[in-house]
Amino acid sequence: MQTWMNEGGHVITIMQRQVVVTAKMGALFNTTQYAHRGDLYTAIKGTAQYKRDGGDFQFGLLSSEFQAGGKKVFCIVIKVDRTQLKKADHFFSAMWNNPSSPKPLGLNCRYFNLQNPAATEEQRKKLFHFQQEFISQESKILIAGCGDLESKVRIKDKPILVTLRQLFLNLRSHSDSSRRLL
């Protein structure tokens, strides 16, 4: 099963409650279907912010589609226990929508609360077009011959360990250092 999970980028999340009491509460935009959800999940749970503000709620990250105007586009959806919706919404909003918060894996995602009754169809369409544009400009390259992407490496002069996948996902462009190559 571990091979299937690694090859397909699948993540199994054990939550305290059954499916009937969990809800898709939010979506991450400015994301790619090639993001490794397992690494992202681990990185979120490893942040000081999660340990301080969110450590007592469980969540899952799902590959899903966001719908607006009868069209669909890929995004990452966050699923939580229904009793923790308010706390989880506050946590993810603070993490992803606050420019001063450190971002897990350096990903510059945007969070949208799917449970927000005040969200208009017009707002959903804007998010849809934002994500669709991001995906259409996404570049893909084949990385081969470097071994297991889950191998841990230490960055020179840094005390942290990262996976090769994390290292590749954070490569910067020479012409624009704010833009990642992958």
Side-chain angles (χ1 to χ4, degrees):
M1 184 179 228
Q2 186 66 42
T3 303
W4 170 79
M5 290 173 57
N6 289 341
E7 289 175 359
H10 304 290
V11 178
I12 296 176
T13 304
I14 299 172
M15 299 183 76
Q16 300 300 317
R17 307 267 185 142
Q18 297 295 323
V19 173
V20 294
V21 293
T22 60
K24 292 180 179 179
M25 59 143 277
L28 294 177
F29 293 91
N30 216 12
T31 58
T32 172
Q33 64 186 5
Y34 303 103
H36 191 272
R37 292 184 324 277
D39 282 352
L40 182 56
Y41 176 82
T42 302
I44 292 169
K45 289 193 85 155
T47 63
Q49 185 176 350
Y50 182 79
K51 292 173 183 168
R52 182 185 65 241
D53 301 334
D56 63 344
F57 74 84
Q58 294 294 314
F59 67 94
L61 301 175
L62 312 170
S63 289
S64 192
E65 292 177 327
F66 179 75
Q67 296 182 18
K71 297 179 183 177
K72 298 177 183 178
V73 67
F74 167 83
C75 69
I76 293 177
V77 169
I78 302 165
K79 190 173 185 177
V80 299
D81 184 315
R82 286 183 192 275
T83 64
Q84 299 293 318
L85 285 173
K86 188 174 182 178
K87 182 175 188 165
D89 178 55
H90 178 1
F91 169 78
F92 284 108
S93 183
M95 173 173 280
W96 295 107
N97 296 343
N98 180 351
S100 64
S101 276
K103 308 298 183 233
L105 301 182
L107 298 176
N108 195 22
C109 300
R110 294 292 175 258
Y111 167 76
F112 175 72
N113 181 345
L114 297 173
Q115 302 285 327
N116 183 355
T120 65
E121 185 62 20
E122 193 60 36
Q123 289 172 319
R124 293 177 71 83
K125 286 180 182 177
K126 281 184 181 179
L127 285 168
F128 174 87
H129 290 298
F130 175 77
Q131 179 67 0
Q132 191 175 42
E133 184 175 327
F134 177 81
I135 289 173
S136 71
Q137 294 177 9
E138 182 177 47
S139 299
K140 297 163 202 73
I141 61 172
L142 175 63
I143 299 171
C146 63
D148 182 7
L149 292 179
E150 300 307 311
S151 299
K152 299 278 186 181
V153 295
R154 184 174 310 279
I155 299 173
K156 185 178 179 181
D157 301 326
K158 302 282 183 184
I160 61 171
L161 287 173
V162 296
T163 65
L164 289 172
R165 181 185 314 278
Q166 291 169 322
L167 200 58
F168 284 129
L169 287 172
N170 284 296
L171 291 175
R172 303 282 182 168
S173 166
H174 281 286
S175 61
D176 180 2
S177 64
S178 66
R179 186 166 179 230
R180 290 186 175 75
L181 293 176
L182 300 177

